[in-house]
Amino acid sequence: MQIADIPISPALAACYAEKGIATLYPPQAECVEKGLFDGKNLLIAIPTASGKTLVAEMAMHHHIGNRGKCLYIVPLRALASEKYDDFSGKGVRVGIATGDFDRRDDYLGRNDIIVATSEKVDSLLRNRTPWLAEISLLVLDEVHLIDSPDRGATLEMVIAKLRYKNPAMQVIALSATIGNPQELADWMDAGLVESEWRPVDLREGVYHHGCIHFPDSDRPVEHRTKHEDLDLCLDTVGEGGQCLVFVSSRKNAEAFAKRAAAGLKLDNPELLEFAERIRAKADTNTEKTLAACVAQGAAFHHAGLKKEERRIVEQGFRDGHIKVISSTPTLAAGLNLPARRVIIRDYLRYSAGDGMAPIPVREYRQMAGRAGRPHLDPYGEAVLIAKGEDMIDELFDCYIDAPAEDVRSQCANEAVIASHILSLIATGFAREHAELTAFMERTFYAASKGSTAALKRVVQRVLEFLRESEMILEVGEWIEPTEYGSLVSRLYLDPRSAETIATTISEVEEYSDIGFLQLLCTTPDMPTLYVRKNDAYYLDRFIAEHAEDLWTDIPWHASEDFERSLKTAMLLADWADEVGEETICERYGVGPGDVYAMVESVNWLIHASRHLARMFAPDLARPIEDMELRMKHGIRKELLPIVRLRGIGRVRARRLFNNGFCSLDAIREAGVEKIGRVLGSGIAAQIFEQLEGERDEIAADAGQQQSTLFHFG
Ligand code: ADP
């Protein structure tokens, strides 16, 4: 089937022609045959890189041509920006839903395509965003993530809610290959397009002792070093390809990149330029190591790195200069970075409770699917490494020949469903028990289990919790949200977090930074740091010095949860106390990317706590508000007045303050020249431009800075 034969706009067809896309891939043609352009729901379960996004894009353009509006739901924020970039500049208006969880983002309604994560869409539903009612095409990217234990229930509920509101809406669900696609398709009243077809031939094999065993042939690999994984990389690079190596931890990723760099020893000006870009911003040893590796053609990639550093590594790899990336498996989920050879070196991963456990088949497929760059590589190779000869067959059985796992609903998990039940009540989806049950029967859980008995028991227990914590009122069959319950739903808080925060702040007598932060770190909404053996001494010393300031009880016996919450709160307190990023990274054993992620998570909780404080502890609202700004910028209280200026972050504000410019008035009085001597003339000019503008503008800007604290894009 030719692009010219399908009903898309000339502008889009021209974009495809420019990229050399003239013919549909076979699974894409099947989508058209199964009603893609006729409003039919479809579940498209095909391998990575076989053209799912393109199918969705064509459907969206066709739809927009018929005056429809499209919502594209992605699982990760990083993917939202990637898709936003993909869809932009092709003659339609594209928006990305960012910003706070308690906003309606009405302005986004002007767009034809809106890209958002499932959490953001859920929060928009809770805040009754009007344009959601106009969505007539829903695209669900990576819909198999319905079975993710922590986030799957949100995706499932969002699908159920959107379809409940608008049953006529077309749904296009994109999925990796899964075990039970028909079951999922049936739930969505969708036709199924299932295929193993790939644009580049994928060969999957197991390496052992100098040879890759493929199902129908063997391929020898020359021994060059004493490391088999490195030999596999050098082999591919030697024949002009690139390599992605998946390992189980950040430490392993870094160690492998160092080894690969030493093995490759490449030397060219482009690599030096990429390395220099990283080195210029490097604060920590990890970043300096990354720059040194990149200079020789290898890199590592994980969540501990800063976003910009990851971008530089990705670009260096896409441009073909960086030859090897070693990374943790989290990378496989988001990044579209194909390579000729993918090495799945570590297929065991530590998971709490299970110790070292094999990764699921679906995860293996996701990594393996990155092998082979269309139009560039003659083939792709995915290689597992066997530790012994007896492992070769086992790896074939467990991964290469194994069927993908079934997708299972997470809606019967009491811990994750409480928030959704509250939101169903608070937003009027369910006003009585029967309505709540009827709604829950629309879930994938109910559809796939056939029985809702377990679900009903969970719902009863959740209602009991919500009633006892006074988030809902029950009168006979009727269920009403209280003001508190509605607020919690709008703030997008887990009701258990809200209850912990509300109960504690209404009891404490005096505000303390560490007391407040540690409280937030005990809630299920806050990810916490791992506690190492040698942390005990510092934690104990800290407790001895700050016992009075803590708001939660100090347990008599060692408690991992308590220690984790305290350690995380100490990191956050250091950040808000202007401790340098490098010191924080060393002290807590984290990377700059982790600090950023922690600060971002806690920012939302601080913001939500401010609203709860207004209701339960008005005296604490002000110090919490200060902490909100302090955490955002990583500054002590004394810098608050200066940091309200645009372009002034923690470092510049401190420099101004230490030079005696402690307020906007002091800066104004000093004049542009003096400030220029401290910060440079360019930034000083910018500051004075702002100061010369109306004072009101600064105040308004400060307000805006606050309300965009939690960017979600
Ligand atoms: P997926 O979403 O399944 O990972 P994409 O839609 O992103 O796959 O497609 C992967 C790559 O293949 C993209 O670079 C895309 O432009 C290209 N592509 C998609 N469909 C075609 C086609 N019919 N012909 C040529 N290239 C295509």
Side-chain angles (χ1 to χ4, degrees):
M1 195 178 285
Q2 300 298 309
I3 295 282
D5 300 333
I6 54 173
I8 54 168
S9 68
L12 187 63
C15 288
Y16 291 163
E18 208 174 292
K19 281 170 115 186
I21 303 175
T23 313
L24 292 189
Y25 290 153
Q28 293 173 331
E30 192 183 335
C31 293
V32 176
E33 280 150 19
K34 290 203 165 151
L36 184 74
F37 298 118
D38 306 320
K40 294 270 167 41
N41 293 353
L42 288 180
L43 171 67
I44 307 167
I46 57 179
T48 310
S50 47
K52 292 189 284 291
T53 312
L54 196 102
V55 172
E57 186 176 55
M58 291 189 301
M60 291 195 291
H61 276 250
H62 175 70
H63 206 75
I64 295 161
N66 294 325
R67 310 184 72 77
K69 199 184 276 304
C70 315
L71 178 62
Y72 192 104
I73 300 187
V74 289
L76 297 168
R77 266 192 280 168
L79 273 182
S81 348
E82 196 180 307
K83 297 296 171 191
Y84 173 80
D85 292 344
D86 271 4
F87 301 147
S88 298
K90 295 177 180 168
V92 293
R93 291 165 297 186
V94 187
I96 181 165
T98 60
D100 298 353
F101 276 145
D102 57 355
R103 288 185 151 203
R104 301 198 322 178
D105 292 348
D106 288 355
Y107 67 96
L108 279 173
R110 292 190 303 252
N111 295 296
D112 304 308
I113 299 175
I114 296 138
V115 186
T117 60
S118 35
E119 282 77 12
K120 179 66 193 182
V121 176
D122 194 14
S123 77
L124 292 172
L125 278 160
R126 290 171 188 220
N127 288 285
R128 300 170 199 267
T129 298
W131 54 259
L132 280 174
E134 296 166 38
I135 298 296
S136 44
L137 171 61
L138 173 66
V139 182
L140 305 161
D141 201 353
E142 313 235 12
V143 71
H144 54 270
L145 290 177
I146 270 189
D147 76 357
S148 140
D150 49 345
R151 303 179 52 207
T154 304
L155 176 59
E156 186 176 335
M157 294 302 283
V158 161
I159 300 171
K161 283 183 198 173
L162 288 169
R163 296 192 66 214
Y164 182 82
K165 269 191 182 280
N166 186 356
M169 179 174 67
Q170 183 183 7
V171 181
I172 297 176
L174 315 177
S175 168
T177 35
I178 54 175
N180 56 341
Q182 191 61 54
E183 210 174 349
L184 198 57
D186 289 347
W187 174 56
M188 289 188 284
D189 304 311
L192 175 63
V193 175
E194 192 187 10
S195 168
E196 289 294 333
W197 184 91
R198 288 177 43 98
V200 190
D201 185 29
L202 174 66
R203 305 162 70 190
E204 295 168 89
V206 178
Y207 178 80
H208 179 64
H209 214 59
C211 181
I212 309 176
H213 302 271
F214 290 109
D216 47 9
S217 62
D218 286 350
R219 177 179 167 157
V221 172
E222 198 190 320
H223 270 305
R224 303 181 199 204
T225 71
K226 55 182 194 290
H227 302 286
E228 298 194 313
D229 45 12
L230 182 57
D231 288 339
L232 276 169
C233 280
L234 297 177
D235 183 53
T236 300
V237 178
E239 57 157 45
Q242 289 168 294
C243 219
L244 270 180
V245 188
F246 287 105
V247 296
S248 59
S249 70
R250 294 177 185 184
K251 227 160 98 194
N252 287 342
E254 289 171 24
F256 186 81
K258 277 199 240 174
R259 215 155 60 209
L264 287 166
K265 281 209 189 68
L266 299 180
D267 179 14
N268 68 50
E270 284 89 358
L271 282 174
L272 290 180
E273 205 182 305
F274 282 112
E276 196 40 50
R277 278 168 63 192
I278 296 171
R279 197 172 293 123
K281 301 218 163 161
D283 296 317
T284 62
N285 283 338
T286 306
E287 294 163 291
K288 288 171 195 154
T289 307
L290 177 65
C293 291
V294 166
Q296 297 190 305
F300 52 89
H301 191 294
H302 58 59
L305 295 175
K306 289 184 191 130
K307 232 188 246 166
E308 315 154 54
E309 289 159 353
R310 280 182 265 163
R311 295 289 160 271
I312 296 172
V313 167
E314 290 158 20
Q315 195 196 336
F317 195 77
R318 276 205 187 97
D319 292 353
H321 300 301
I322 295 176
K323 299 292 180 192
V324 176
I325 294 185
S326 54
S327 89
T328 54
T330 36
L331 180 108
L335 207 60
N336 190 10
L337 259 195
R340 181 169 312 170
R341 183 175 284 170
V342 169
I343 302 170
I344 296 104
R345 196 194 72 176
D346 302 341
Y347 36 83
L348 295 178
R349 173 149 17 103
Y350 181 79
S351 77
D354 295 339
M356 293 304 277
I359 56 168
V361 177
R362 198 186 313 141
E363 219 169 276
Y364 159 76
R365 291 263 154 85
Q366 197 152 32
M367 299 187 226
R370 303 282 167 210
R373 292 171 309 159
H375 318 301
L376 292 173
D377 288 327
Y379 54 83
E381 281 178 349
V383 184
L384 287 147
I385 301 181
K387 304 271 187 296
E389 193 159 0
D390 51 332
M391 288 285 295
I392 299 174
D393 286 345
E394 203 177 319
L395 287 173
F396 265 95
D397 290 348
C398 294
Y399 290 113
I400 298 174
D401 299 330
E405 292 90 359
D406 287 356
V407 164
R408 289 283 157 238
S409 165
Q410 300 296 319
C411 274
N413 180 345
E414 202 173 318
V416 292
I417 204 69
S419 159
H420 296 291
I421 290 179
L422 175 63
S423 97
L424 288 172
I425 297 166
T427 47
F429 271 95
R431 289 279 186 207
E432 48 181 309
H433 283 113
E435 275 178 356
L436 193 55
T437 315
F439 185 89
M440 295 309 283
E441 276 168 4
R442 303 172 69 94
T443 56
F444 178 51
Y445 182 92
S448 55
K449 288 275 177 206
S451 148
T452 49
L455 201 55
K456 279 187 182 145
R457 278 197 298 276
V458 171
V459 171
Q460 280 317 319
R461 277 199 299 272
V462 169
L463 287 179
E464 217 171 279
F465 168 77
L466 296 175
R467 196 172 49 232
E468 276 170 17
S469 54
E470 298 183 8
M471 292 189 206
I472 59 165
L473 285 173
E474 282 178 285
V475 185
E477 271 300 293
W478 287 94
I479 320 172
E480 283 287 332
T482 61
E483 200 186 328
Y484 171 35
S486 297
L487 177 68
V488 173
S489 167
R490 285 200 310 275
L491 287 173
Y492 207 68
L493 273 186
D494 184 319
R496 294 168 302 164
S497 301
E499 190 51 7
T500 305
I501 297 169
T503 317
T504 312
I505 59 175
S506 48
E507 283 167 4
V508 295
E509 283 169 8
E510 210 177 327
Y511 175 83
S512 91
D513 284 350
I514 193 68
F516 177 51
L517 293 174
Q518 192 262 337
L519 168 71
L520 300 186
C521 293
T522 63
T523 66
D525 277 313
M526 185 65 205
T528 50
L529 291 170
Y530 178 71
V531 175
R532 296 168 300 192
K533 266 201 200 101
N534 51 0
D535 289 333
Y537 170 73
Y538 298 99
L539 290 173
D540 285 345
R541 221 173 63 178
F542 188 88
I543 293 170
E545 281 169 19
H546 297 272
E548 298 276 297
D549 300 325
L550 291 174
W551 291 359
T552 66
D553 292 334
I554 301 165
W556 282 103
H557 300 291
S559 145
E560 194 186 334
D561 284 349
F562 179 80
E563 287 174 354
R564 290 179 74 125
S565 66
L566 187 62
K567 183 175 169 184
T568 312
M570 285 163 65
L571 180 152
L572 294 166
D574 277 355
W575 170 254
D577 217 21
E578 294 177 46
V579 175
E581 199 165 290
E582 191 181 351
T583 311
I584 295 185
C585 289
E586 256 166 44
R587 197 175 280 174
Y588 298 94
V590 295
D594 302 304
V595 178
Y596 176 80
M598 294 268 162
V599 167
E600 201 179 34
S601 298
V602 86
N603 263 336
W604 182 253
L605 281 171
I606 300 176
H607 173 78
S609 301
R610 173 155 64 87
H611 287 274
L612 291 173
R614 283 198 197 132
M615 193 174 269
F616 293 100
D619 289 351
L620 296 186
R622 183 68 219 212
I624 292 179
E625 194 176 329
D626 284 349
M627 180 47 95
E628 196 174 342
L629 261 184
R630 288 183 51 203
M631 188 60 72
K632 183 190 172 201
H633 294 286
I635 50 163
R636 292 191 196 150
K637 198 171 167 179
E638 67 225 32
L639 299 188
L640 282 176
I642 328 179
V643 91
R644 285 166 197 268
L645 287 164
R646 264 192 311 267
I648 300 298
R650 76 191 307 224
V651 177
R652 286 182 180 145
R654 176 51 59 198
R655 222 181 287 157
L656 283 171
F657 191 93
N658 288 353
N659 280 280
F661 310 116
C662 311
S663 66
L664 296 187
D665 282 341
I667 294 173
R668 203 179 278 117
E669 247 168 60
V672 69
E673 250 171 57
K674 268 195 189 163
I675 300 298
R677 264 178 253 137
V678 179
L679 295 182
S681 52
I683 189 81
Q686 264 183 44
I687 291 178
F688 276 83
E689 225 169 84
Q690 290 178 63
L691 288 174
E692 277 158 23
E694 288 182 359
R695 276 160 197 265
D696 290 355
E697 206 182 289
I698 292 169
D701 186 48
Q704 202 189 352
Q705 280 191 25
Q706 286 215 17
S707 57
T708 49
L709 268 180
F710 197 80
H711 273 293
F712 199 63

Short mmCIF file of all heavy atoms in Angstrom, two decimals, residues 189-224:
data_model
loop_
_atom_site.label_atom_id
_atom_site.label_comp_id
_atom_site.label_asym_id
_atom_site.label_seq_id
_atom_site.Cartn_x
_atom_site.Cartn_y
_atom_site.Cartn_z
N ASP A 189 -12.85 -2.99 22.87
CA ASP A 189 -13.70 -3.15 21.67
C ASP A 189 -12.89 -2.84 20.43
O ASP A 189 -13.32 -2.07 19.55
CB ASP A 189 -14.92 -2.21 21.73
CG ASP A 189 -15.72 -2.44 22.99
OD1 ASP A 189 -16.01 -3.61 23.29
OD2 ASP A 189 -16.01 -1.46 23.71
N ALA A 190 -11.71 -3.40 20.38
CA ALA A 190 -10.78 -3.03 19.30
C ALA A 190 -10.46 -4.21 18.40
O ALA A 190 -10.42 -5.36 18.86
CB ALA A 190 -9.49 -2.50 19.91
N GLY A 191 -10.21 -3.90 17.13
CA GLY A 191 -9.67 -4.91 16.23
C GLY A 191 -8.21 -5.11 16.59
O GLY A 191 -7.56 -4.20 17.12
N LEU A 192 -7.67 -6.30 16.31
CA LEU A 192 -6.29 -6.58 16.69
C LEU A 192 -5.39 -6.68 15.47
O LEU A 192 -5.69 -7.41 14.52
CB LEU A 192 -6.25 -7.90 17.48
CG LEU A 192 -4.87 -8.42 17.86
CD1 LEU A 192 -4.15 -7.45 18.79
CD2 LEU A 192 -4.98 -9.79 18.54
N VAL A 193 -4.28 -5.94 15.51
CA VAL A 193 -3.24 -6.11 14.49
C VAL A 193 -2.02 -6.64 15.23
O VAL A 193 -1.45 -5.94 16.08
CB VAL A 193 -2.91 -4.77 13.80
CG1 VAL A 193 -1.75 -4.95 12.82
CG2 VAL A 193 -4.13 -4.23 13.08
N GLU A 194 -1.67 -7.88 14.95
CA GLU A 194 -0.58 -8.51 15.67
C GLU A 194 0.42 -9.03 14.65
O GLU A 194 0.02 -9.69 13.67
CB GLU A 194 -1.14 -9.67 16.50
CG GLU A 194 -0.18 -10.20 17.50
CD GLU A 194 -0.71 -11.46 18.18
OE1 GLU A 194 -1.74 -12.00 17.73
OE2 GLU A 194 -0.08 -11.89 19.15
N SER A 195 1.69 -8.74 14.87
CA SER A 195 2.68 -9.18 13.88
C SER A 195 4.06 -9.24 14.50
O SER A 195 4.35 -8.53 15.47
CB SER A 195 2.66 -8.19 12.71
OG SER A 195 3.76 -8.42 11.88
N GLU A 196 4.91 -10.07 13.94
CA GLU A 196 6.31 -10.15 14.37
C GLU A 196 7.20 -9.48 13.33
O GLU A 196 8.42 -9.52 13.42
CB GLU A 196 6.75 -11.61 14.55
CG GLU A 196 6.14 -12.33 15.73
CD GLU A 196 6.61 -11.76 17.08
OE1 GLU A 196 7.73 -11.20 17.12
OE2 GLU A 196 5.85 -11.84 18.06
N TRP A 197 6.58 -8.88 12.33
CA TRP A 197 7.32 -8.28 11.23
C TRP A 197 8.21 -7.14 11.73
O TRP A 197 7.83 -6.37 12.60
CB TRP A 197 6.32 -7.73 10.20
CG TRP A 197 6.99 -7.18 8.97
CD1 TRP A 197 7.27 -7.88 7.83
CD2 TRP A 197 7.46 -5.85 8.77
NE1 TRP A 197 7.89 -7.05 6.93
CE2 TRP A 197 8.02 -5.80 7.49
CE3 TRP A 197 7.46 -4.70 9.55
CZ2 TRP A 197 8.58 -4.65 6.96
CZ3 TRP A 197 8.03 -3.55 9.04
CH2 TRP A 197 8.58 -3.54 7.74
N ARG A 198 9.42 -7.06 11.17
CA ARG A 198 10.33 -5.97 11.53
C ARG A 198 10.98 -5.41 10.27
O ARG A 198 11.23 -6.15 9.32
CB ARG A 198 11.44 -6.48 12.45
CG ARG A 198 11.00 -6.82 13.86
CD ARG A 198 12.17 -7.37 14.63
NE ARG A 198 13.37 -6.59 14.36
CZ ARG A 198 13.83 -5.61 15.14
NH1 ARG A 198 13.23 -5.34 16.26
NH2 ARG A 198 14.91 -4.94 14.82
N PRO A 199 11.28 -4.10 10.27
CA PRO A 199 11.87 -3.52 9.06
C PRO A 199 13.31 -3.99 8.82
O PRO A 199 13.80 -3.96 7.70
CB PRO A 199 11.84 -2.01 9.33
CG PRO A 199 11.66 -1.87 10.80
CD PRO A 199 10.99 -3.10 11.29
N VAL A 200 14.01 -4.38 9.88
CA VAL A 200 15.38 -4.89 9.72
C VAL A 200 15.39 -6.29 10.29
O VAL A 200 14.81 -6.54 11.35
CB VAL A 200 16.39 -4.05 10.54
CG1 VAL A 200 17.82 -4.43 10.18
CG2 VAL A 200 16.16 -2.58 10.34
N ASP A 201 16.05 -7.18 9.61
CA ASP A 201 16.13 -8.56 10.07
C ASP A 201 16.78 -8.60 11.45
O ASP A 201 17.84 -8.00 11.66
CB ASP A 201 16.96 -9.33 9.03
CG ASP A 201 17.00 -10.80 9.36
OD1 ASP A 201 16.01 -11.27 9.97
OD2 ASP A 201 18.00 -11.46 9.03
N LEU A 202 16.13 -9.27 12.41
CA LEU A 202 16.71 -9.38 13.75
C LEU A 202 17.19 -10.80 13.99
O LEU A 202 16.42 -11.76 13.87
CB LEU A 202 15.67 -8.99 14.82
CG LEU A 202 16.11 -9.21 16.27
CD1 LEU A 202 17.27 -8.28 16.64
CD2 LEU A 202 14.95 -8.98 17.24
N ARG A 203 18.46 -10.91 14.34
CA ARG A 203 18.98 -12.24 14.67
C ARG A 203 19.25 -12.26 16.17
O ARG A 203 19.97 -11.41 16.69
CB ARG A 203 20.28 -12.49 13.90
CG ARG A 203 20.07 -12.30 12.40
CD ARG A 203 21.37 -12.11 11.67
NE ARG A 203 22.15 -13.33 11.66
CZ ARG A 203 23.42 -13.38 11.25
NH1 ARG A 203 24.03 -12.29 10.86
NH2 ARG A 203 24.08 -14.52 11.26
N GLU A 204 18.68 -13.26 16.82
CA GLU A 204 18.87 -13.34 18.27
C GLU A 204 19.73 -14.55 18.59
O GLU A 204 19.47 -15.65 18.09
CB GLU A 204 17.53 -13.49 18.98
CG GLU A 204 16.64 -12.27 18.82
CD GLU A 204 15.22 -12.55 19.28
OE1 GLU A 204 14.93 -12.34 20.47
OE2 GLU A 204 14.41 -12.99 18.44
N GLY A 205 20.75 -14.37 19.41
CA GLY A 205 21.64 -15.48 19.71
C GLY A 205 22.22 -15.41 21.11
O GLY A 205 21.99 -14.45 21.85
N VAL A 206 22.99 -16.46 21.44
CA VAL A 206 23.63 -16.53 22.75
C VAL A 206 25.13 -16.69 22.54
O VAL A 206 25.58 -17.54 21.76
CB VAL A 206 23.10 -17.74 23.56
CG1 VAL A 206 23.81 -17.83 24.90
CG2 VAL A 206 21.60 -17.63 23.78
N TYR A 207 25.89 -15.86 23.23
CA TYR A 207 27.34 -15.91 23.09
C TYR A 207 27.95 -16.80 24.17
O TYR A 207 27.56 -16.71 25.34
CB TYR A 207 27.90 -14.49 23.21
CG TYR A 207 29.41 -14.43 23.13
CD1 TYR A 207 30.05 -14.48 21.91
CD2 TYR A 207 30.18 -14.31 24.29
CE1 TYR A 207 31.43 -14.42 21.82
CE2 TYR A 207 31.56 -14.24 24.22
CZ TYR A 207 32.18 -14.30 22.98
OH TYR A 207 33.55 -14.25 22.90
N HIS A 208 28.87 -17.63 23.76
CA HIS A 208 29.64 -18.37 24.74
C HIS A 208 31.01 -18.71 24.17
O HIS A 208 31.11 -19.25 23.06
CB HIS A 208 28.91 -19.66 25.15
CG HIS A 208 29.70 -20.46 26.15
ND1 HIS A 208 29.99 -19.98 27.41
CD2 HIS A 208 30.28 -21.68 26.06
CE1 HIS A 208 30.71 -20.88 28.05
NE2 HIS A 208 30.91 -21.91 27.26
N HIS A 209 32.00 -18.33 24.89
CA HIS A 209 33.35 -18.76 24.60
C HIS A 209 33.76 -18.56 23.13
O HIS A 209 34.03 -19.52 22.41
CB HIS A 209 33.46 -20.25 24.97
CG HIS A 209 34.83 -20.57 25.49
ND1 HIS A 209 35.35 -19.95 26.60
CD2 HIS A 209 35.77 -21.42 25.05
CE1 HIS A 209 36.54 -20.41 26.82
NE2 HIS A 209 36.84 -21.29 25.91
N GLY A 210 33.72 -17.33 22.70
CA GLY A 210 34.23 -17.03 21.36
C GLY A 210 33.28 -17.28 20.22
O GLY A 210 33.68 -17.23 19.05
N CYS A 211 32.01 -17.56 20.51
CA CYS A 211 31.09 -17.87 19.42
C CYS A 211 29.67 -17.43 19.76
O CYS A 211 29.18 -17.67 20.87
CB CYS A 211 31.12 -19.38 19.21
SG CYS A 211 30.06 -19.90 17.87
N ILE A 212 29.00 -16.77 18.80
CA ILE A 212 27.58 -16.45 19.01
C ILE A 212 26.77 -17.57 18.36
O ILE A 212 26.93 -17.85 17.16
CB ILE A 212 27.17 -15.11 18.36
CG1 ILE A 212 28.11 -13.98 18.77
CG2 ILE A 212 25.74 -14.75 18.77
CD1 ILE A 212 27.82 -12.65 18.09
N HIS A 213 25.94 -18.22 19.14
CA HIS A 213 25.09 -19.29 18.62
C HIS A 213 23.75 -18.68 18.21
O HIS A 213 23.01 -18.21 19.06
CB HIS A 213 24.86 -20.37 19.69
CG HIS A 213 26.15 -20.96 20.17
ND1 HIS A 213 26.73 -22.05 19.57
CD2 HIS A 213 26.98 -20.59 21.18
CE1 HIS A 213 27.87 -22.33 20.20
NE2 HIS A 213 28.04 -21.46 21.17
N PHE A 214 23.48 -18.69 16.90
CA PHE A 214 22.17 -18.29 16.40
C PHE A 214 21.38 -19.57 16.14
O PHE A 214 21.97 -20.66 16.05
CB PHE A 214 22.32 -17.46 15.12
CG PHE A 214 22.92 -16.11 15.35
CD1 PHE A 214 24.20 -15.81 14.92
CD2 PHE A 214 22.20 -15.13 16.03
CE1 PHE A 214 24.76 -14.55 15.16
CE2 PHE A 214 22.75 -13.87 16.27
CZ PHE A 214 24.03 -13.59 15.83
N PRO A 215 20.06 -19.48 15.98
CA PRO A 215 19.28 -20.71 15.80
C PRO A 215 19.77 -21.55 14.62
O PRO A 215 19.77 -22.77 14.67
CB PRO A 215 17.86 -20.21 15.56
CG PRO A 215 17.82 -18.84 16.15
CD PRO A 215 19.20 -18.30 16.06
N ASP A 216 20.20 -20.88 13.52
CA ASP A 216 20.55 -21.67 12.35
C ASP A 216 22.03 -21.60 11.96
O ASP A 216 22.44 -22.16 10.96
CB ASP A 216 19.68 -21.23 11.16
CG ASP A 216 19.66 -19.72 11.05
OD1 ASP A 216 20.44 -19.08 11.75
OD2 ASP A 216 18.85 -19.20 10.25
N SER A 217 22.82 -20.87 12.74
CA SER A 217 24.25 -20.79 12.39
C SER A 217 25.05 -20.33 13.61
O SER A 217 24.47 -19.87 14.58
CB SER A 217 24.46 -19.78 11.26
OG SER A 217 24.04 -18.50 11.72
N ASP A 218 26.35 -20.44 13.51
CA ASP A 218 27.23 -19.93 14.56
C ASP A 218 28.11 -18.84 13.98
O ASP A 218 28.46 -18.89 12.81
CB ASP A 218 28.13 -21.04 15.10
CG ASP A 218 27.33 -22.00 15.97
OD1 ASP A 218 26.17 -21.67 16.29
OD2 ASP A 218 27.87 -23.06 16.30
N ARG A 219 28.45 -17.88 14.82
CA ARG A 219 29.32 -16.82 14.31
C ARG A 219 30.50 -16.65 15.28
O ARG A 219 30.31 -16.26 16.43
CB ARG A 219 28.51 -15.53 14.22
CG ARG A 219 29.35 -14.37 13.79
CD ARG A 219 28.58 -13.08 13.68
NE ARG A 219 29.57 -12.03 13.56
CZ ARG A 219 29.35 -10.86 13.02
NH1 ARG A 219 28.15 -10.56 12.60
NH2 ARG A 219 30.30 -9.96 12.96
N PRO A 220 31.70 -16.94 14.82
CA PRO A 220 32.84 -16.80 15.73
C PRO A 220 33.16 -15.33 16.00
O PRO A 220 32.95 -14.48 15.14
CB PRO A 220 34.00 -17.46 14.96
CG PRO A 220 33.55 -17.55 13.55
CD PRO A 220 32.07 -17.39 13.48
N VAL A 221 33.63 -15.07 17.21
CA VAL A 221 34.06 -13.71 17.58
C VAL A 221 35.50 -13.82 18.06
O VAL A 221 35.81 -14.62 18.93
CB VAL A 221 33.16 -13.14 18.70
CG1 VAL A 221 33.71 -11.82 19.21
CG2 VAL A 221 31.73 -12.97 18.21
N GLU A 222 36.33 -13.00 17.47
CA GLU A 222 37.76 -13.08 17.78
C GLU A 222 38.02 -12.67 19.22
O GLU A 222 37.48 -11.67 19.70
CB GLU A 222 38.47 -12.11 16.83
CG GLU A 222 39.94 -12.36 16.69
CD GLU A 222 40.56 -11.18 15.94
OE1 GLU A 222 39.92 -10.68 14.98
OE2 GLU A 222 41.66 -10.77 16.32
N HIS A 223 38.83 -13.46 19.93
CA HIS A 223 39.24 -13.09 21.29
C HIS A 223 40.28 -12.00 21.21
O HIS A 223 41.35 -12.19 20.67
CB HIS A 223 39.90 -14.29 21.98
CG HIS A 223 38.92 -15.14 22.71
ND1 HIS A 223 38.07 -14.64 23.67
CD2 HIS A 223 38.65 -16.45 22.63
CE1 HIS A 223 37.34 -15.63 24.14
NE2 HIS A 223 37.65 -16.73 23.51
N ARG A 224 39.98 -10.85 21.71
CA ARG A 224 41.00 -9.79 21.67
C ARG A 224 41.41 -9.40 23.08
O ARG A 224 42.51 -8.98 23.32
CB ARG A 224 40.43 -8.55 21.00
CG ARG A 224 39.93 -8.82 19.62
CD ARG A 224 39.40 -7.53 19.04
NE ARG A 224 38.52 -7.84 17.93
CZ ARG A 224 38.26 -7.02 16.95
NH1 ARG A 224 38.76 -5.82 16.95
NH2 ARG A 224 37.46 -7.38 15.98
#
